[in-house]
Amino acid sequence: MFAIIETGGKQFRVKEGQQIKVAKLADEAGSEIVLDKILAAGGQSEVKFGQPYVDGAKVVCDVLSHERDKKVIVFKKKRRKGYSKKQGHRQDFTRLRVKSIEA
């Protein structure tokens, strides 16, 4: 069974037992969260597509941890002008484990 979920402005294809990294959520680590924005869900024989979301479908996930991603370097330079700027950025994210998919 799989589902295509939407969270944090992005879409993810998930299966039961899979771990995913999503944009930071406000829920506590160790708690359970229910995602109800399901774009498509199904198995090998039948797939349901929503318009835009599948009615009555939900994905139950465990919140494992809140972490920070690798550093991304933002470097700007204008040639022959003596201008250069270096800046780093680390994005916050939440790690989820998919417990069950109900469609």
Side-chain angles (χ1 to χ4, degrees), residues 9-102:
K10 295 181 175 69
Q11 299 174 2
F12 301 92
R13 183 183 193 271
V14 296
K15 295 187 290 188
E16 292 180 7
Q18 181 181 1
Q19 287 187 14
I20 57 173
K21 290 180 4 180
V22 299
K24 187 174 181 186
L25 301 172
D27 298 294
E28 294 288 326
S31 65
E32 190 173 272
I33 184 171
V34 177
L35 303 172
D36 57 351
K37 292 185 176 182
I38 312 300
L39 301 170
Q44 294 179 352
S45 60
E46 181 185 352
V47 178
K48 296 179 185 175
F49 294 99
Q51 294 180 354
Y53 304 118
V54 178
D55 293 330
K58 63 181 180 178
V59 174
V60 180
C61 300
D62 285 329
V63 178
L64 298 178
S65 62
H66 299 288
E67 301 173 25
R68 298 187 81 191
D69 220 345
K70 293 181 183 177
K71 184 178 280 192
V72 177
I73 303 297
V74 181
F75 185 74
K76 299 178 181 181
K77 181 179 170 103
K78 297 194 185 290
R79 62 186 190 146
R80 299 187 304 270
K81 304 297 178 194
Y83 170 80
S84 65
K85 181 178 180 182
K86 183 177 179 182
Q87 184 177 7
H89 174 75
R90 291 185 70 186
Q91 185 70 35
D92 294 328
F93 70 89
T94 300
R95 190 176 301 277
L96 301 177
R97 178 182 292 127
V98 179
K99 278 178 72 172
S100 65
I101 299 171
E102 301 172 16

